[in-house]
Structure formats: structure tokens, C-alpha cells
Amino acid sequence: MTMRTAILAVMAGALVSGCLGPDPLVGKGAVNLSPVVQKGFEQYQQERSPGHFAVSADGRYAQYNYCPDGRCLRGLKNSVIHSCEKRSKGSPCKIYAAYGEIVWQDAE
């Protein structure tokens, strides 16, 4: 593979990923974090390498992970959502923050 082909492949991948639309694992709509979840979110933000923070739609349950050496492996987003849903006894969870920044759409 030539350097030009590699650059074109990377650019095409970036273009396609931008056309896929919003991430279905990221939450949207109003969400009010309970005081316990808010405190957990503050702890997550203090992590050296925050990964993903998932929260239930009612804001009562959450789970987060961190990225050793600043690198998250593929699939950790699904894993943190699954762990959150296990804690919430099946209530759906979505990603609230990624890498320390809130990504939940329309978060209050």
C-alpha cells in the first residue's frame, strides 16, 4: 500500500463515519442526574484517563470506565452500558460522557 492509498483510506473512513449520523449509544433528551450519580460523574471527571460514563434514562444509576494510558479499547462503550443496565436492574442506559466531556444530547 502506498502512502497516497493509505491517506485516501483514512480520509474515506473519516468521511463515512461522519455520514453515519449520531451514535445510537449516546443518550438524548432531558436527563436529571440524582445526587449520587452527580457525585459519581464528578469522580469520573477527576480520573486521570476518563473513558465512558453511562447513565440510566431516569438519572438514578450510572457506571463508568477509564482508559489506561489514555487509550480505550473498542467495545468498552457497550461494556459500560451493559454494566449500568445490570445495576439499574434492566432500565436502559446510554452514554452520558466520553473522555471527560458530556456527549448526551440536550443534557440539563
Side-chain angles (χ1 to χ4, degrees):
M1 179 184 285
T2 68
M3 180 62 102
R4 180 181 172 150
T5 305
I7 292 171
L8 288 173
V10 170
M11 289 174 59
L15 180 62
V16 169
S17 67
C19 295
L20 295 177
D23 186 342
L25 300 179
V26 171
K28 62 182 175 179
V31 63
N32 293 312
L33 304 182
S34 73
V36 171
V37 170
Q38 181 62 44
K39 185 173 181 173
F41 181 65
E42 291 166 7
Q43 289 175 319
Y44 156 82
Q45 289 185 305
Q46 297 301 313
E47 286 287 342
R48 184 175 185 170
S49 299
H52 301 96
F53 188 92
V55 65
S56 60
D58 63 6
R60 294 177 54 203
Y61 301 94
Q63 184 70 37
Y64 73 87
N65 60 21
Y66 64 95
C67 304
D69 301 323
R71 296 183 349 217
C72 277
L73 302 173
R74 182 173 241 181
L76 285 179
K77 206 184 291 186
N78 287 326
S79 176
V80 78
I81 288 172
H82 176 74
S83 295
C84 177
E85 289 175 347
K86 195 172 181 182
R87 277 186 144 195
S88 70
K89 298 183 179 35
S91 180
C93 292
K94 296 282 186 172
I95 298 296
Y96 181 77
Y99 312 110
E101 300 293 325
I102 296 173
V103 294
W104 188 288
Q105 299 169 13
D106 302 322
E108 293 180 352

